[in-house]
Amino acid sequence: MTTSLAAETDQRERFYRVVPELLADDTRRALVLAEIGVAYLDPHLTDDVRPRVINVGIREQLLISVAGGMALAGMRPIVHTFPPFLIERPFEQVKLDLGHQGVGAVLVSSGGSYSMAAGGQTHFGHRDVALLDTLDDWTIHVPGHADEAERALRRAVASDDRVYIRLDGRSNRRRYSEAGGFTVLKRGSAGTVIAVGPTADNTLKAVEHRDVTVLYADTIRPFDAETVVSTLTLPDLAIVEPYLAGTSIPHLSDAVKHVPHRLLGLGVEHKELRKYGSPKDHERAHGLDVEGLKNRLDDFFG
């Protein structure tokens, strides 16, 4: 992390400040946009990198196809827009132009599940990780802090893998992750709770009265089964994710398949909310605020 960026906590703003530097460092790298972010990014661009910033307009399928073509030509594309426009709308292109062609790109979303609450259902992105789980060989980062987002981005552009970085409008009060895998935030003897990305602060507060182990994940794929098993006490496990509830339950179940277990998956509920509200309103409606998490985790653990 560069010193000049240390005080910034907004994940999206950190992305806009770091990506021009990454483009300048390697002429193979390019940034592909579909209008979203253009005005925010422009003040940070220099003349030497500007030709490698391509705005395709409001054409999300083309957004991914252009990235796939760049990757086939030996470039390292970074692709950016809101989650439903990056994963849902161009899903066929993500599947074919990247996965089927066997090439990589760095997909960077912004807005999380409901940080763009005023945009309504068209801008809600809670299905993204579940959709990518149907495809092979994706690394998925869910940073809970701008420092984690920057680290994930720098590692992603240095590889040729297929990487998804899910930036959220909310952040934890500090960086929790250590180098690689899940991080142990708290040790207990009566079960395990896994907090993913920006859910960590609320989760820690919700279980401060409970004797449970709390693990933190800012990289959720590949799933760190080793840490889950090595820290396991009672085989009662809950996972709190900032996207569709239950998305990681198959991975968690597979990790503890050697013992009888009980699982709880918390996240954005499947039922559609038809009122805009604020991000806090949605957090509360889905039971992801401190009170909601405490009540549901108390019911589960007893």
Side-chain angles (χ1 to χ4, degrees), residues 114-186:
Y114 43 72
S115 292
M116 292 291 294
Q121 185 64 217
T122 57
H123 287 62
F124 292 169
H126 53 286
R127 304 172 182 89
D128 51 355
V129 177
L131 276 171
L132 285 180
D133 267 352
T134 67
L135 305 177
D136 294 334
D137 299 326
W138 278 90
T139 296
I140 301 176
H141 300 290
V142 189
H145 189 276
D147 291 351
E148 296 165 0
E150 180 178 346
R151 181 182 67 176
L153 180 62
R154 291 184 180 278
R155 289 181 175 180
V157 298
S159 75
D160 288 314
D161 299 336
R162 288 187 285 280
V163 180
Y164 178 45
I165 303 175
R166 188 183 202 272
L167 305 184
D168 207 296
R170 55 180 177 153
S171 294
N172 298 316
R173 67 182 185 275
R174 66 178 180 85
R175 171 179 174 170
Y176 285 117
S177 69
E178 298 172 357
F182 293 178
T183 302
V184 180
L185 301 185
K186 176 183 175 182

Side-chain angles (χ1 to χ4, degrees), residues 42-111:
D42 190 68
H44 304 298
L45 296 177
T46 55
D47 290 341
D48 58 329
V49 303
R50 200 174 292 274
R52 284 180 283 122
V53 178
I54 296 90
N55 178 15
V56 301
I58 308 174
R59 301 175 180 88
E60 285 80 11
Q61 288 89 345
L62 180 61
L63 179 78
I64 300 298
S65 292
V66 166
M70 286 180 167
L72 283 169
M75 298 186 72
R76 184 58 169 159
I78 305 165
V79 190
H80 174 63
T81 186
F82 296 139
F85 308 149
L86 189 61
I87 305 297
E88 291 183 56
R89 186 173 294 172
F91 183 71
E92 184 177 11
Q93 285 69 37
V94 173
K95 177 180 71 175
L96 298 178
D97 295 348
L98 297 177
H100 183 64
Q101 294 292 343
V103 294
V106 184
L107 308 188
V108 183
S109 70
S110 178

Side-chain angles (χ1 to χ4, degrees), residues 87-299:
I87 305 297
E88 291 183 56
R89 186 173 294 172
F91 183 71
E92 184 177 11
Q93 285 69 37
V94 173
K95 177 180 71 175
L96 298 178
D97 295 348
L98 297 177
H100 183 64
Q101 294 292 343
V103 294
V106 184
L107 308 188
V108 183
S109 70
S110 178
S113 292
Y114 43 72
S115 292
M116 292 291 294
Q121 185 64 217
T122 57
H123 287 62
F124 292 169
H126 53 286
R127 304 172 182 89
D128 51 355
V129 177
L131 276 171
L132 285 180
D133 267 352
T134 67
L135 305 177
D136 294 334
D137 299 326
W138 278 90
T139 296
I140 301 176
H141 300 290
V142 189
H145 189 276
D147 291 351
E148 296 165 0
E150 180 178 346
R151 181 182 67 176
L153 180 62
R154 291 184 180 278
R155 289 181 175 180
V157 298
S159 75
D160 288 314
D161 299 336
R162 288 187 285 280
V163 180
Y164 178 45
I165 303 175
R166 188 183 202 272
L167 305 184
D168 207 296
R170 55 180 177 153
S171 294
N172 298 316
R173 67 182 185 275
R174 66 178 180 85
R175 171 179 174 170
Y176 285 117
S177 69
E178 298 172 357
F182 293 178
T183 302
V184 180
L185 301 185
K186 176 183 175 182
R187 289 189 181 273
S189 61
T192 299
V193 180
I194 303 170
V196 180
T199 71
D201 280 352
N202 283 359
T203 301
L204 283 169
K205 194 164 184 62
V207 299
E208 61 185 1
H209 65 298
R210 303 203 67 91
D211 181 27
V212 293
T213 293
V214 178
L215 304 179
Y216 175 68
D218 68 322
T219 298
I220 198 63
R221 304 287 184 272
F223 190 85
D224 184 11
E226 183 178 349
T227 298
V228 173
V229 173
S230 67
T231 58
L232 192 66
T233 54
L234 293 182
D236 297 338
L237 303 98
I239 184 164
V240 184
E241 302 179 274
Y243 37 80
L244 197 64
T247 295
S248 292
I249 285 293
H251 297 266
L252 184 55
S253 180
D254 188 62
V256 294
K257 63 185 178 184
H258 59 290
V259 294
H261 54 268
R262 296 171 61 243
L263 304 179
L264 175 66
L266 301 178
V268 178
E269 297 297 328
H270 288 243
K271 183 178 180 180
E272 182 177 332
L273 299 181
R274 295 183 177 272
K275 294 184 178 180
Y276 284 35
S278 68
K280 283 290 186 183
D281 291 329
H282 287 269
E283 181 179 72
R284 184 168 55 254
H286 291 295
L288 295 174
D289 60 340
V290 173
E291 182 180 2
L293 289 174
K294 180 180 182 302
N295 290 339
R296 297 166 84 184
L297 291 169
D298 283 350
D299 287 344

